[in-house]
Amino acid sequence: MKIAPPYREYIIQIVCYLYIILFTYAAVSKLLDFENFQVQLGQSPLLAAFAGFVSIVVPSLELLIVTTLVIPRFKLSGLYASFSLMTMFSAYIFIILNYSSSIPCSCGGILEKMDWKQHLWFNIFFVIIAGIAITLSSLDDKKFKIKNLTARILLCIALSSGLVIGLYASSKQMLQYHNSFIRVFPRMAAEKDQQIDLKYNSFYFAGTSDAEIYLGNYTTPLKVIEFDRDLKKTKSYQITLDRQDLPFQSVQISILSKDFIVYDGSVSCIYIGTTDNWKAQLKFRGDTFISSAEPLDSNTIVFRGLKTSTLTSNLGKYTIRPESFVHNDSLLQKQNDGIFDSDGMLHFDVTSNRIVYIYRYRNQFFSTDKNLQLISRGNTIDTISKAQIKIAKIVNRNQQKMSAPPLVVNKSSTVYHNLLFINSLIMGRFEPEDMWKDASIIDVYDLTNGSYKCSFYIYSEGNEKLRSFRVEGNTLYALVGNALVAYKLSPEITHNYK
């Protein structure tokens, strides 16, 4: 059916007006709420690596297109630009809906009220009417050929979609391996499931077994609280030591399945027992200061200790039968004093048979096998590669102490299967400051290749933030203030288990 020229011009003008209204509204909304727009771009896996650039280019392009649509001689160019930009927006949302779980950027205002499937159909509608307007405008061209017009439209679709796909692939690669410290937050990555009021904030995670979670308590150091995985049933146990005449100062418990150890680094002693009877025997008494220790099995313990001959920290392995000590001095890398600068968190994950160490004051971690042979080293996504600490030496006491509060990079951590979970204290780009007041950030890494996977929030309870946590299966258990809270992890996290 042919359309008379006056009506063609009328339709073209309506399409131009619709685009002028849409792009003006969208651009102004983005600019008025620019910080929020930039934050949401920064949380998108598709555009996160380019969020700073894109947050300026998109509203600028929208306003530029509005200008071309207003000027008659540039109207057709403006329609092609409108068609291409809306195709890009449509491709963006299609990828978000089908290949990502992250929240897309907002166009602001009433468009933000749509769900993303509605938004996709809204965009497709504008792509179609732009295509109609381009076709009607081309009919006045004496050299008009339908195949040439079709080729130009298909080229616009291919280039626009290809650009978005290219940005997605590049951004994903940059975020995983060349991160400029931009976090990606999947939707509903961790959802609160259960919560128990412990009454006190002196509890810590002592360990796990096949079906139980164990908590120790700093104020009653030989008492253990057992919870089932659903936090429905609870029991308490009292550990009995065969020798209690040592000058204990800082007793800690670490449990692995049915085996557990009791150690006090300042006294340099290690007891070993079993959960069958909760009795422990003294197996080691020496002069090595032990800051952390983990059982590998009923006969072997890995620990971080202070080597007295060099006054530096190292990792070691203690075997009971036959008794032996093995140290690996090359694992902990000295930057300053060799003690505080290498402080960190020691983990053993039975599911992967890895020993994992995360530095507290810098963006580094490494993993070893059970014989303390290095498997890999990796970096967290923040940029703190050197421990920012100040050390003062007290000569008359032959001591070293921190002379100023250090910059803590990694507060707490845990390992499950091939994934490393870290509670980071360093704010990334495009992150709302209000969230840092109300929640704690957990970053997730794949130990098999050192790549960053994603991040998620653990919300505070009252004014209390996350103290420590453990992951078992699809559940994250968190100690927040006086509460023990269980969060269900979404498939966006658990599908990374290997």
Side-chain angles (χ1 to χ4, degrees):
M1 183 179 69
K2 293 185 177 181
I3 302 175
Y7 294 106
R8 290 206 304 263
E9 187 60 33
Y10 182 67
I11 294 171
I12 293 167
Q13 205 59 42
I14 289 176
V15 173
C16 289
Y17 285 147
L18 286 174
Y19 265 104
I20 289 169
I21 294 170
L22 174 66
F23 284 156
T24 301
Y25 176 77
V28 170
S29 296
K30 292 180 178 77
L31 295 174
L32 289 178
D33 197 13
F34 184 74
E35 183 180 1
N36 181 53
F37 172 58
Q38 198 172 56
V39 164
Q40 291 186 334
L41 274 178
Q43 294 176 5
S44 165
L46 199 160
L47 297 173
F50 311 102
F53 171 75
V54 172
S55 63
I56 296 172
V57 168
V58 169
S60 300
L61 270 178
E62 289 172 334
L63 293 176
L64 179 62
I65 291 172
V66 167
T67 303
T68 61
L69 292 173
V70 170
I71 302 173
R73 62 179 295 191
F74 297 123
K75 188 181 296 181
L76 182 57
S77 298
L79 286 170
Y80 271 108
S82 301
F83 178 86
S84 299
L85 190 59
M86 289 306 291
T87 299
M88 291 174 64
F89 289 163
S90 301
Y92 170 81
I93 296 177
F94 180 82
I95 293 173
I96 287 293
L97 288 173
N98 291 278
Y99 302 100
S100 170
S101 59
S102 297
I103 301 172
C105 71
S106 164
C107 288
I110 59 173
L111 300 181
E112 194 174 26
K113 306 301 181 184
M114 298 181 186
D115 67 40
W116 294 106
K117 286 186 178 179
Q118 292 171 337
H119 207 153
L120 178 60
W121 286 112
F122 177 87
N123 286 0
I124 291 173
F125 168 76
F126 270 88
V127 170
I128 291 172
I129 64 172
I132 292 172
I134 289 170
T135 303
L136 296 177
S137 297
S138 301
L139 292 177
D140 292 329
D141 187 351
K142 295 180 180 180
K143 297 180 180 179
F144 171 75
K145 289 184 180 181
I146 188 66
K147 63 178 183 180
N148 292 340
L149 174 64
T150 303
R152 284 196 292 268
I153 289 177
L154 290 176
L155 181 62
C156 286
I157 294 173
L159 291 176
S160 301
S161 302
L163 177 60
V164 174
I165 293 170
L167 286 174
Y168 174 62
S170 300
S171 185
K172 189 174 182 180
Q173 179 75 8
M174 291 171 68
L175 287 172
Q176 286 190 339
Y177 300 105
H178 310 286
N179 199 301
S180 55
F181 202 14
I182 301 172
R183 290 188 170 96
V184 175
F185 294 87
R187 285 178 287 184
M188 301 300 292
E191 185 175 5
K192 185 188 287 189
D193 183 43
Q194 299 288 340
Q195 180 170 332
I196 292 179
D197 186 2
L198 300 173
K199 307 298 183 185
Y200 305 100
N201 65 357
S202 52
F203 288 93
Y204 64 92
F205 286 105
T208 61
S209 66
D210 291 339
E212 292 83 23
I213 303 292
Y214 296 105
L215 299 184
N217 193 322
Y218 292 113
T219 57
T220 54
L222 294 179
K223 187 176 181 179
V224 175
I225 307 295
E226 175 191 283
F227 293 92
D228 70 344
R229 294 291 180 89
D230 295 325
L231 304 186
K232 301 294 186 182
K233 299 177 182 179
T234 180
K235 297 178 182 177
S236 67
Y237 303 98
Q238 185 71 27
I239 294 175
T240 302
L241 305 180
D242 68 339
R243 279 192 60 182
Q244 301 187 33
D245 58 337
L246 302 181
F248 300 115
Q249 297 182 39
S250 179
V251 173
Q252 293 188 66
I253 302 164
S254 184
I255 302 171
L256 177 66
S257 189
K258 288 186 173 296
D259 302 307
F260 70 87
I261 62 173
V262 179
Y263 67 98
D264 188 327
S266 56
V267 181
S268 190
C269 64
I270 300 176
Y271 294 78
I272 295 180
T274 174
T275 59
D276 291 334
N277 56 20
W278 293 99
K279 293 181 180 180
Q281 295 180 319
L282 181 65
K283 295 296 183 180
F284 171 76
R285 179 81 168 94
D287 58 358
T288 300
F289 178 82
I290 300 171
S291 58
S292 59
E294 294 285 336
L296 303 185
D297 50 49
S298 59
N299 192 50
T300 314
I301 298 162
V302 64
F303 64 90
R304 175 179 178 260
L306 178 63
K307 194 173 183 180
T308 53
S309 60
T310 60
L311 290 180
T312 57
S313 295
N314 65 7
L315 293 188
K317 185 178 73 169
Y318 173 59
T319 303
I320 301 168
R321 294 178 302 274
E323 186 175 41
S324 67
F325 264 104
V326 175
H327 294 272
N328 190 326
D329 296 333
S330 65
L331 290 173
L332 296 180
Q333 297 177 325
K334 180 178 178 179
Q335 288 187 335
N336 188 330
D337 63 304
I339 301 176
F340 296 109
D341 63 359
S342 60
D343 187 20
M345 294 152 280
L346 177 65
H347 300 289
F348 173 66
D349 178 55
V350 69
T351 59
S352 60
N353 270 327
R354 285 176 184 254
I355 298 166
V356 181
Y357 191 85
I358 303 94
Y359 290 99
R360 192 176 305 276
Y361 304 122
R362 46 176 141 148
N363 65 349
Q364 298 163 13
F365 58 86
F366 62 84
S367 64
T368 77
D369 61 18
K370 294 176 71 172
N371 294 316
L372 293 180
Q373 297 304 304
L374 182 68
I375 297 175
S376 64
R377 294 188 184 272
N379 293 84
T380 59
I381 57 175
D382 65 81
T383 56
I384 314 299
S385 60
K386 184 172 177 59
Q388 298 184 19
I389 57 177
K390 293 183 179 180
I391 307 299
K393 294 183 179 181
I394 305 175
V395 178
N396 60 346
R397 295 187 181 182
N398 194 28
Q399 292 180 346
Q400 293 186 122
K401 291 186 176 182
M402 286 193 183
S403 59
L407 174 64
V408 179
V409 176
N410 303 311
K411 179 182 178 183
S412 58
S413 58
T414 194
V415 178
Y416 186 74
H417 278 290
N418 58 300
L419 296 188
L420 169 62
F421 300 78
I422 298 179
N423 174 203
S424 174
L425 295 187
I426 306 298
M427 182 183 294
R429 297 176 64 195
F430 314 120
E431 293 176 15
E433 291 188 26
D434 289 345
M435 287 301 300
W436 279 83
K437 299 175 184 177
D438 300 330
S440 300
I441 300 289
I442 305 294
D443 297 327
V444 185
Y445 300 87
D446 189 339
L447 289 169
T448 58
N449 55 22
S451 64
Y452 164 72
K453 307 307 294 184
C454 63
S455 302
F456 57 91
Y457 295 112
I458 297 295
Y459 287 90
S460 303
E461 298 293 330
N463 294 322
E464 299 291 336
K465 301 192 76 171
L466 175 72
R467 290 190 288 113
S468 60
F469 64 104
R470 285 288 181 98
V471 172
E472 293 293 330
N474 67 341
T475 307
L476 181 146
Y477 299 92
L479 289 171
V480 187
N482 297 339
L484 172 61
V485 188
Y487 290 85
K488 291 299 180 184
L489 297 177
S490 71
E492 282 72 25
I493 304 294
T494 59
H495 86 275
N496 292 294
Y497 291 159
K498 297 177 182 176

